Amino acid sequence: MSAPNPNAHVLTCPTRWSDVDENGHINNVRLVSYVQEGIYDLFRHHAVAVRESLFPSGFIIARHEIDYLEQLHHRPEPLLVRLSVERLGRSSAHVEVNVCRDPHTYMRARTVVVARDRDSGRSRTLSPSERRFLEAFAPGTAPAGQLSPAPSQRLPVKVPRGTGPAVPAHRTRRRFRTAAR
């Protein structure tokens, strides 16, 4: 497994006893809500997004692709929801979200987030400032702390598909079995 993206946006998220299902682990649907909380935190609550009034009409989730990697159990230690921008389209951001308690990653999601036009309810082109904001969370870019470089330092960054963390060609999956009762 590769090291986490140092530019990732990280949300600390507690688990709750009410998130546990009858099998004794955090329910898969609840795990998806952690992903959505991380997306919302990045796009609507990040200090730069608030200060620059980015995504004024909001955004929509167009797609989730989810891999459940390990069972997650309720513990007092919070989860880390790490978001990295894998690539940008005309109106969309492809975001990788890892739900983990270091060193374990319990769930990995790839989510497509689309900028929305308030009047039509349809997608709209990302503004230059929204694009710069999102590019700061891509692996291999300047540290995320430098979200507002001087105009002369701004260079267009295109994150090509498939340049994210290395993924082995053959993944071994852990299978969990419960004793028959």
Side-chain angles (χ1 to χ4, degrees):
M1 181 186 291
S2 61
N5 172 12
N7 297 330
H9 174 73
V10 180
L11 172 67
T12 303
C13 190
T15 60
R16 296 165 203 72
W17 182 249
S18 61
D19 297 344
V20 177
D21 66 15
E22 64 184 31
N23 295 319
H25 64 270
I26 303 296
N27 185 280
N28 291 350
V29 172
R30 188 62 191 136
L31 279 167
V32 172
S33 69
Y34 299 146
V35 171
Q36 291 176 310
E37 287 178 38
I39 297 274
Y40 193 80
D41 189 65
L42 174 62
F43 283 74
R44 299 300 288 176
H45 290 289
H46 190 281
V48 173
V50 171
R51 183 180 69 235
E52 295 185 15
S53 300
L54 303 178
F55 309 100
S57 299
F59 56 89
I60 55 174
I61 303 296
R63 182 170 200 271
H64 282 306
E65 177 184 316
I66 300 168
D67 289 315
Y68 297 100
L69 305 172
E70 290 191 42
Q71 289 187 38
L72 174 61
H73 297 277
H74 173 66
R75 292 199 328 231
E77 302 87 20
L79 294 170
L80 300 177
V81 180
R82 287 192 177 107
L83 296 93
S84 298
V85 175
E86 291 185 311
R87 74 181 184 97
L88 294 174
R90 182 190 65 78
S91 62
S92 64
H94 295 243
V95 181
E96 180 182 81
V97 184
N98 289 289
V99 177
C100 49
R101 277 192 193 115
D102 288 334
H104 299 286
T105 300
Y106 298 97
M107 174 187 178
R108 177 169 296 120
R110 287 194 162 79
T111 300
V112 178
V113 182
V114 178
R116 179 171 101 59
D117 176 66
R118 182 181 315 259
D119 296 331
S120 71
R122 301 181 71 84
S123 66
R124 64 165 177 80
T125 302
L126 290 167
S127 72
S129 56
E130 290 168 339
R131 190 170 287 282
R132 276 191 304 278
F133 170 72
L134 293 169
E135 286 169 346
F137 299 100
T141 59
Q146 299 176 351
L147 283 175
S148 298
S152 62
Q153 296 175 334
R154 290 186 181 140
L155 298 173
V157 177
K158 198 166 206 164
V159 182
R161 178 175 269 188
T163 59
V167 177
H170 175 66
R171 295 182 189 180
T172 56
R173 304 271 291 206
R174 292 186 183 153
R175 301 233 185 248
F176 297 96
R177 297 175 191 228
T178 56
R181 293 186 184 226

